[in-house]
Amino acid sequence: MATIDDVAKLAGVSKGTVSNVFSKKRPIGPEATKRVFEAARQLGYYPNHIARSLAIRKTMIAGLRMPIPKEGMMSQFEIQMINGVLNECAKHGFRVLLDTLPEHDDPNQFTVDPVDGVIMLNPRREDLRIEMYRQIGMPLVLVGRPDPMDPGVSYVDNDNAELACEVGRYLLSIGHESILFLNASSDMTVAFDRERGLAAALAEQGMPLPPEQVMNYSRELHRSPTEYGYRAVLETMKSRSYTAVVADTDRVALGVLRAARELGLNVPDDLSVIALSNDARLAQEMTPPLTCVELSAEMLGAQAAQILMEKMENADVVRQHTVRAKLVFRESCKKRPR
Amino acid sequence: MATIDDVAKLAGVSKGTVSNVFSKKRPIGPEATKRVFEAARQLGYYPNHIARSLAIRKTMIAGLRMPIPKEGMMSQFEIQMINGVLNECAKHGFRVLLDTLPEHDDPNQFTVDPVDGVIMLNPRREDLRIEMYRQIGMPLVLVGRPDPMDPGVSYVDNDNAELACEVGRYLLSIGHESILFLNASSDMTVAFDRERGLAAALAEQGMPLPPEQVMNYSRELHRSPTEYGYRAVLETMKSRSYTAVVADTDRVALGVLRAARELGLNVPDDLSVIALSNDARLAQEMTPPLTCVELSAEMLGAQAAQILMEKMENADVVRQHTVRAKLVFRESCKKRPR
DNA sequence: CTGAAAGCGCTTACAG
DNA sequence: CTGAAAGCGCTTACAG
């Protein structure tokens, strides 16, 4: 691979001159410019982005850390999210380094990536990575709020407590009082917020949300989100009978629907089901079409990217945006006769 | 930002030692190791990926060059494609640099990206970039065949001529002889191959494919693929009447359907429509559900990534894979009464 | 097991 | 307008 040295030699100029011909950072005479381009053409020389990045400490690349399912497709949420990030970054001339590798927060494994800033999905509780990015001065924007809250870190998020609360109110308003909540994994801050929100809705009616009405997904226990929904309903419905279930995602709801069928329960007549995410495709294809919550993933992604661009200009800015979620009524929930 | 020098100084060792503690390339005594980790922790030091890449000439990143629509969502094809690439790369510990920036083939703009190899979508005719990658010795795999064909470049692709031929045969078999083909942009090799394929099917029955029956998408002329399908049908149906239209994509077909409605044409009774791509969501939601061709984008992406991994091991390997496309029958095509 | 030094391929004050 | 040289933060023979 030809380097800047080879070109300089062949063109009879210094490396500095070659550098400036390509970067146009300072003017180079037409004679020299021509000789440089000609030499570069002859040698098949193209500037090395890595060497350049090391020297100028800038890559024009944004990092996107987001685990995706090993097998099977990304969810609609993930896709929309990526789309939002990609579009916003492209507008600013940025490319995106997609890091879907399993997360490690072993500090001795952490490395300073070839990016000018990073967007990180689903921070965990006490996520060590946040502190590491701070230490190296890497601009960071979370999708999902930090936990514990930190006035110094930027993020965009739905108001998960509020969203779950609305769902709770809705279910209560149509007569459901015994609700099973198939929540996300307990180490996710969304799980915590949503449980709190649902509890709040019940509290408004003077009702508790007992622990046995809330389950958490667990990668060890459940083979897949769908399996989680399926097993959870099958098992809990033995001992106790609920009239409504709030599923973490459409996929979980898919399992719930299957279990209901096996138990001879009609949805929505015997059981109302609602999901806290909206995979338009999945939700519409289900029988019945699933009532759920639109999280506006594309907006989340776009806003995260936009904030990141701001932070790269000025490291001091901190933005904490909330994107409003809204209920999408389809046919899986129904008023319960008293 | 703390560097390896700072750590070395604080730990009282040489940079080489620090380097080896982190990379484990050669054994370092337990004493020194402890001091190094402790110093690193104190300083908030994390190895710099860029500097490392420059030194070892390896990034563990794969480049994916793929233009995506500025506004609006990626198509199902693009999403599946990315998903395939991402999963396969992750398996090998690679991350992916998504380059969706507009393509330039000005050689003076080209740069050697921080990647160990690249997957490039939709190569153009005489695509200069192919030659540039060759010159710098960067492993390259195309999605879509090179044009002109080149026994030295690796690619995965559908057999577009074959696929269009099958579509042609199918349409002929159900009685359609006057077919309008809304092809892709004429500078894409797929457009060429597909036109050839459709012509071949007609030729089998001794029929020609006259130029006026084939149109090409053009970014300048058409505001969007859907608009393209809409205008094309509206305009051509004035002078000549076809009984079937082959649309480049589901989106184009969407426009065709709209135009047909406005012209008072019933699909499929008066007009059969088929698309050369399968966005499951779109296609199923259309009225009527669209008959189309499944290109297996995820497989294309996964295979491209796999071949790239091979090439990075051994630069000499060349693979040219064909992924079989297949017809998906829905309800937009119908036998034409003679 | 460890260190000193050259090297990866660029950029950029500094001097002319 | 151009060059010589130090520097970006790592790695890796070479020598001990």
Side-chain angles (χ1 to χ4, degrees):
Chain A
M1 203 187 71
T3 73
I4 202 170
D5 269 301
D6 304 326
V7 177
K9 223 156 283 168
L10 183 58
V13 298
S14 73
K15 310 196 300 181
T17 299
V18 176
S19 173
N20 285 300
V21 164
F22 279 94
S23 69
K24 301 186 176 62
K25 290 224 177 159
R26 52 185 206 187
I28 297 294
E31 265 311 301
T33 300
K34 211 179 64 189
R35 286 214 311 283
V36 166
F37 277 139
E38 174 54 20
R41 202 193 51 68
Q42 257 184 59
L43 296 170
Y45 167 78
Y46 306 98
N48 184 310
H49 187 277
I50 299 183
R52 177 155 214 276
S53 300
L54 182 60
I56 68 177
R57 352 203 56 205
K58 203 162 177 20
T59 62
M60 295 300 279
I61 298 175
L64 177 53
R65 305 196 62 156
M66 178 178 66
I68 65 168
K70 281 250 149 300
E71 301 296 328
M73 276 296 287
M74 295 182 270
S75 73
Q76 208 60 20
F77 181 91
E78 293 158 334
I79 291 165
Q80 289 174 5
M81 172 61 219
I82 295 183
N83 203 69
V85 170
L86 245 33
N87 275 137
E88 193 62 29
C89 284
K91 269 185 207 160
H92 297 262
F94 271 73
R95 301 187 288 180
V96 172
L97 178 61
L98 243 129
D99 187 348
T100 60
L101 265 30
E103 325 160 10
H104 45 255
D105 51 10
D106 174 4
N108 296 330
Q109 296 274 89
F110 192 83
T111 105
V112 180
D113 278 335
V115 298
D116 297 335
V118 357
I119 295 171
M120 189 172 93
L121 254 74
N122 299 334
R124 293 190 298 276
R125 291 213 61 181
E126 317 272 353
D127 203 314
L128 289 178
R129 296 171 297 175
I130 297 176
E131 173 57 12
M132 298 194 238
Y133 283 121
R134 202 192 53 69
Q135 289 183 51
I136 60 176
M138 178 74 76
L140 171 70
V141 178
L142 304 179
V143 177
R145 74 170 181 81
D147 185 19
M149 269 305 234
D150 181 337
V153 346
S154 295
Y155 70 86
V156 296
D157 198 4
N158 298 115
D159 186 335
N160 283 289
E162 174 62 21
L163 154 184
C165 186
E166 277 179 42
V167 166
R169 286 193 193 121
Y170 166 62
L171 255 20
L172 286 164
S173 77
I174 57 174
H176 297 281
E177 302 192 333
S178 99
I179 300 171
L180 175 63
F181 184 18
L182 302 182
N183 205 350
S185 169
S186 57
D187 61 350
M188 296 180 68
T189 69
V190 293
F192 178 77
D193 291 346
R194 289 173 178 175
E195 177 164 348
R196 191 158 54 81
L198 186 59
L202 288 161
E204 288 172 358
Q205 306 299 323
M207 300 164 61
L209 178 62
E212 66 271 22
Q213 284 183 229
V214 180
M215 301 188 61
N216 287 285
Y217 176 67
S218 144
R219 225 163 262 200
E220 287 75 50
L221 264 55
H222 311 288
R223 285 221 320 279
S224 73
T226 306
E227 189 72 11
Y228 165 46
Y230 177 72
R231 292 262 161 249
V233 168
L234 233 45
E235 279 157 23
T236 59
M237 284 302 217
K238 268 186 219 147
S239 49
R240 191 158 169 14
S241 81
Y242 300 97
T243 67
V245 7
V246 177
D248 181 41
T249 65
D250 328 65
R251 294 184 190 198
V252 174
L254 209 56
V256 171
L257 257 31
R258 182 149 60 92
R261 263 194 302 279
E262 288 190 15
L263 292 169
L265 261 30
N266 178 284
V267 175
D269 290 335
D270 306 321
L271 186 69
S272 283
V273 180
I274 185 168
L276 302 185
S277 74
N278 181 25
D279 181 330
R281 174 143 53 126
L282 248 188
Q284 285 174 15
E285 281 175 16
M286 291 190 197
T287 325
L290 195 66
T291 289
C292 48
V293 175
E294 171 59 58
L295 304 173
S296 304
E298 185 165 6
M299 173 113 303
L300 285 170
Q303 288 203 6
Q306 206 176 312
I307 295 172
L308 188 62
M309 299 294 142
E310 270 188 81
K311 278 189 90 80
M312 292 185 316
E313 292 287 306
N314 175 1
D316 295 334
V317 331
V318 176
R319 301 246 180 281
Q320 309 196 138
H321 276 191
T322 286
V323 169
R324 185 159 175 78
K326 54 181 183 304
L327 282 172
V328 177
F329 299 101
R330 294 202 185 84
E331 301 165 28
S332 63
C333 289
K334 192 173 173 184
K335 185 155 191 148
R336 176 148 188 90
R338 299 251 166 189
Chain B
M1 205 187 68
T3 73
I4 202 171
D5 269 301
D6 304 325
V7 177
K9 224 155 284 169
L10 184 58
V13 300
S14 74
K15 310 196 299 181
T17 298
V18 177
S19 172
N20 284 299
V21 164
F22 280 93
S23 69
K24 303 186 175 61
K25 291 224 175 158
R26 51 184 207 190
I28 298 293
E31 265 310 302
T33 300
K34 211 178 64 186
R35 287 213 310 283
V36 165
F37 276 141
E38 174 54 20
R41 203 193 50 69
Q42 258 185 56
L43 297 170
Y45 166 79
Y46 306 98
N48 184 310
H49 187 278
I50 298 183
R52 177 156 214 275
S53 300
L54 182 60
I56 68 178
R57 352 202 59 205
K58 203 161 177 17
T59 63
M60 295 299 279
I61 298 175
L64 176 54
R65 305 195 63 157
M66 177 179 64
I68 65 167
K70 281 248 149 301
E71 302 296 327
M73 279 296 288
M74 294 181 271
S75 73
Q76 208 61 19
F77 181 91
E78 292 159 334
I79 291 164
Q80 289 174 5
M81 172 60 220
I82 294 183
N83 203 69
V85 170
L86 244 32
N87 275 137
E88 193 62 29
C89 285
K91 268 185 209 160
H92 298 260
F94 271 73
R95 300 185 289 178
V96 172
L97 177 61
L98 246 139
D99 187 349
T100 61
L101 267 29
E103 325 160 10
H104 45 255
D105 51 9
D106 174 3
N108 296 328
Q109 296 274 91
F110 192 84
T111 105
V112 180
D113 278 336
V115 298
D116 297 335
V118 356
I119 294 172
M120 189 171 93
L121 254 74
N122 298 333
R124 292 191 299 277
R125 292 214 60 182
E126 319 272 353
D127 204 314
L128 289 179
R129 296 171 298 175
I130 297 176
E131 173 59 12
M132 298 193 236
Y133 282 120
R134 204 192 51 70
Q135 288 183 54
I136 61 177
M138 177 75 76
L140 172 69
V141 178
L142 304 178
V143 177
R145 74 171 180 81
D147 183 20
M149 269 308 236
D150 181 337
V153 348
S154 293
Y155 70 86
V156 296
D157 199 3
N158 298 115
D159 186 336
N160 283 289
E162 174 63 20
L163 155 184
C165 185
E166 277 180 41
V167 166
R169 285 193 194 121
Y170 167 61
L171 256 20
L172 286 164
S173 76
I174 57 174
H176 296 282
E177 302 192 333
S178 98
I179 299 171
L180 175 64
F181 184 19
L182 302 183
N183 204 350
S185 169
S186 57
D187 60 350
M188 296 179 70
T189 68
V190 291
F192 178 77
D193 290 346
R194 288 173 179 177
E195 177 165 347
R196 191 158 52 80
L198 185 59
L202 287 162
E204 288 173 359
Q205 306 298 325
M207 299 164 60
L209 178 61
E212 65 271 22
Q213 284 183 230
V214 181
M215 299 188 61
N216 286 287
Y217 176 67
S218 142
R219 224 163 261 200
E220 288 76 47
L221 264 54
H222 311 287
R223 285 221 320 279
S224 72
T226 307
E227 189 72 13
Y228 165 46
Y230 176 71
R231 292 261 162 252
V233 168
L234 234 44
E235 280 157 23
T236 58
M237 283 303 216
K238 269 186 220 146
S239 49
R240 194 155 164 17
S241 80
Y242 300 97
T243 67
V245 7
V246 177
D248 181 42
T249 65
D250 329 65
R251 292 182 191 201
V252 175
L254 209 56
V256 171
L257 256 33
R258 182 148 61 91
R261 265 195 300 279
E262 288 190 15
L263 291 169
L265 261 30
N266 179 286
V267 175
D269 291 334
D270 307 320
L271 187 69
S272 283
V273 179
I274 186 168
L276 303 185
S277 74
N278 181 25
D279 180 331
R281 175 143 53 126
L282 248 189
Q284 285 174 16
E285 282 176 14
M286 290 190 197
T287 328
L290 196 67
T291 290
C292 47
V293 176
E294 173 60 58
L295 304 173
S296 304
E298 186 164 7
M299 173 114 303
L300 285 169
Q303 289 204 4
Q306 206 176 312
I307 295 173
L308 188 62
M309 298 294 143
E310 270 188 81
K311 279 191 87 82
M312 291 184 318
E313 291 287 307
N314 175 1
D316 294 335
V317 333
V318 176
R319 299 246 181 281
Q320 310 196 140
H321 275 190
T322 286
V323 170
R324 183 158 175 78
K326 54 181 182 305
L327 282 173
V328 177
F329 298 101
R330 295 203 183 84
E331 300 165 29
S332 64
C333 290
K334 192 174 173 180
K335 184 156 191 149
R336 175 148 191 89
R338 297 251 165 190

